[in-house]
Amino acid sequence: RSTLFPYTTLFRSGRRTTTSLLEYILQAAGIKALSGGNIGVPLSSLWDSLTDGVAVAEASSFQLETAVTFQPHIAVILNITSDHLDRHHDMENYINCKANIFQAQQADDFLILNYDDVVVRPLAQRAASQVLFFSASQVLEDGIYIQDGMIKIKHKQDYIEVLELKDLLIRGRHNWENALAATAAAYAAGVEPAVMRSALSSFAGVRHRIEEAGRVAGVLYVNDSKGTNPVSTINALRAFSEPVLLIAGGRDKESDFSELAQLIKAKVKYLLLLGEARAKIAAIMHAVGFPEEHIVIVDTMAEAVKCASHLSQPGEVVLLSPACASWDMYNSFEERGDEFCMLVKRLSDSKWGA
């Protein structure tokens, strides 16, 4: 389908969890599938391993920016929110870059779109391919949706009850969207419902995305280093009902922190800030009335984890979800998350932090 690969390719724009989940479902169906792209594995490195299989790739706006002839058989767009405007300058350019994922598709290809996203939904009008909508909030006449706590598919003559939400292992409403998107892509790829059901109920998530790093003295430490923009951090915060101590900050991508600030004010007990954006985020939090004594400015991740260990109580959550890029202090968000996990392990081994 694409000029890169002589076999069917499935591409998405957005979250790593959906990419990994779709790969997992396809492999459960007996399909030779590997993931790559913007998740740390170059697509070119898959060439020798996938002469007769499926590539499941995460495509970033940077990669799609110059795409012209790229034609995935199944493309998925989960959401489009203000991000990377330091590069794309305005939302119109950013949306057009994302839309390049499907601009070369034909009538026998599929485009999976989030019906709930008011920016994504209108993209259906620009598609020459077959559009499948998914929704976590509305019952659709045609599409993949949730009703009575059940993921359902209704398309043409098909009506399929796939899985109850309570059987998903991955946390949070945003992961409902990930599951819906992966289900829609798997359905378009011809995967049987029983296989979808089994895979969805056994998938435990991916590294650096709401990953449990450990429990120390009754406190849950969670690595969400992949939360590199405010929307990701909002989703991470909403995944927890417990009191949260949030570690945030890093390199700002000219993001809008206003909605995140209101959620932090409502849900976060202490905010620990590091990196280049710490002063900007602290100023925004002061402006919305978050208590100044509950903002802790630190220089290193080690200092952040140590402070959090002293401030937290049993039953609470220490969440690393920076809402910023990692490049001011780390080579990647993976490196940032790995250090956090190492520090939590050191805490659990009682070698420091007292």
Side-chain angles (χ1 to χ4, degrees), residues 6 12 35 52 137 221 224 269 275:
R12 62 175 289 273
S35 61
D52 59 350
S137 64
Y221 289 77
D224 190 55
K269 177 181 176 183

Side-chain angles (χ1 to χ4, degrees), residues 105-131:
Q105 285 188 312
Q106 301 299 319
D108 59 343
D109 297 318
F110 291 89
L111 175 60
I112 314 296
L113 297 177
N114 185 351
Y115 187 86
D116 299 334
D117 190 301
V118 295
V119 179
V120 171
R121 191 194 309 172
L123 294 178
Q125 300 169 15
R126 297 164 58 172
S129 47
Q130 302 174 61
V131 174

Side-chain angles (χ1 to χ4, degrees), residues 44 125 191 197 211 279 281 290:
S44 57
Q125 300 169 15
V191 176
R197 186 174 303 114
E211 172 195 15
I281 298 173
F290 189 79

Side-chain angles (χ1 to χ4, degrees), residues 35 64 77 88 115 119 123 176-177 224 228 283 317 323 344 346:
S35 61
L64 292 168
I77 302 179
H88 300 303
Y115 187 86
V119 179
L123 294 178
W176 297 357
E177 293 186 351
D224 190 55
T228 59
V317 174
V344 172
R346 192 180 294 179

Side-chain angles (χ1 to χ4, degrees), residues 134-140 143-154 159-168 173 175-177 179-181 183 193-194 196-198 200-201:
F134 68 89
S135 173
S137 64
Q138 299 189 50
V139 175
L140 302 178
I144 294 81
Y145 58 92
I146 296 169
Q147 185 179 34
D148 300 327
M150 174 79 70
I151 295 176
K152 298 181 179 181
I153 300 171
K154 186 189 293 183
Y159 174 75
I160 303 166
E161 295 187 343
V162 181
L163 182 81
E164 291 190 74
L165 291 175
K166 66 180 180 62
D167 293 327
L168 286 174
R173 182 185 175 86
N175 275 322
W176 297 357
E177 293 186 351
L180 288 166
T183 298
M196 296 185 211
R197 186 174 303 114
S198 175
L200 286 166
S201 63

Side-chain angles (χ1 to χ4, degrees), residues 196-235:
M196 296 185 211
R197 186 174 303 114
S198 175
L200 286 166
S201 63
S202 59
F203 180 73
V206 298
R207 287 224 60 207
H208 308 294
R209 195 70 184 102
I210 315 187
E211 172 195 15
E212 294 193 8
R215 288 184 182 270
V216 184
V219 176
L220 175 63
Y221 289 77
V222 177
N223 169 27
D224 190 55
S225 184
K226 183 65 174 70
T228 59
N229 59 57
V231 172
S232 294
T233 299
I234 287 169
N235 287 331

